[in-house]
Amino acid sequence: MKNIIVIIICTLLFNCKSSAQDKETKKEVFEINKTEAEWKEQLSDMEFYVLREAGTERPFSSALNKNYKDGVYVCKACETPLFKSEHKFDSGTGWPSFDREIEGNVAYTTDYKIGYARTEEHCATCGGHLGHVFNDGPRKTTGKRHCINGVSLKFIPNK
């Protein structure tokens, strides 16, 4: 009888599954959803790497890093307006930097890929990875530095 009770207890202990053990993650649903093949057809290899695989372009490699013309920066994948040129500043990091986003057009998640929490930014329309936001931006404005991969952006100048 003792053996049966021990077996039942062991079975219960090793077969219990709590929600904390659930490895499934909910996939966010965005207004624009495409298959991996459709994104690969639309985007260059580097654009796909950054926007769809959350990669990072090399610092100082983007022509948009030193672009200070008047206009709007939109998502390269879906053309959602993300940042205004009036909020762009030279952070010295090698990536286009902004002190604020166009509200409602950028979504945020927490990224632990390098061993600590960072706030990751995505296009709120298609889910494309843009970069990260940090709290070391201009103190005279928002104090935020939206550090964005230039390859994830398209610049549309004001007329």
Side-chain angles (χ1 to χ4, degrees):
M1 185 67 165
K2 279 185 180 180
N3 289 341
I4 293 174
I5 293 173
V6 169
I7 291 172
I8 291 172
I9 290 172
C10 287
T11 303
L12 289 173
L13 286 174
F14 292 109
N15 288 321
C16 286
K17 182 179 177 187
S18 75
S19 60
Q21 294 169 327
D22 192 357
K23 298 286 185 202
E24 289 183 35
T25 56
K26 291 182 181 179
K27 185 176 181 181
E28 282 191 69
V29 178
F30 295 98
E31 186 178 321
I32 296 177
N33 281 300
K34 296 183 180 186
T35 65
E36 186 172 307
E38 290 171 322
W39 285 122
K40 282 186 175 182
E41 188 176 309
Q42 176 186 336
L43 303 169
S44 72
D45 289 344
M46 182 56 111
E47 291 165 353
F48 184 85
Y49 170 67
V50 171
L51 285 160
R52 308 315 311 168
E53 296 179 330
T56 302
E57 69 185 355
R58 285 186 346 270
F60 304 102
S61 64
S62 172
L64 295 179
N65 186 42
K66 295 291 185 181
N67 178 41
Y68 293 104
K69 298 174 185 168
D70 287 336
V72 177
Y73 295 84
V74 301
C75 176
K76 185 74 171 214
C78 70
E79 296 199 1
T80 295
L82 302 169
F83 303 98
K84 295 179 182 178
S85 60
E86 64 208 55
H87 301 131
K88 189 169 188 293
F89 68 97
D90 185 358
S91 66
T93 62
W95 289 280
S97 298
F98 304 85
D99 70 354
R100 69 197 77 175
E101 78 284 8
I102 295 176
E103 206 165 315
N105 291 356
V106 175
Y108 300 92
T109 57
T110 303
D111 165 16
Y112 293 97
K113 291 179 192 141
I114 61 173
Y116 62 89
R118 296 184 298 172
T119 303
E120 188 171 2
E121 297 185 73
H122 304 273
C123 172
T125 304
C126 72
H129 169 77
L130 304 171
H132 295 85
V133 62
F134 302 98
N135 292 318
D136 60 359
R139 295 285 169 222
K140 292 181 180 180
T141 60
T142 64
K144 301 287 184 192
R145 173 174 55 96
H146 296 261
C147 187
I148 307 300
N149 290 284
V151 73
S152 69
L153 301 173
K154 175 181 172 183
F155 178 71
I156 300 176
N158 288 340
K159 293 183 180 179

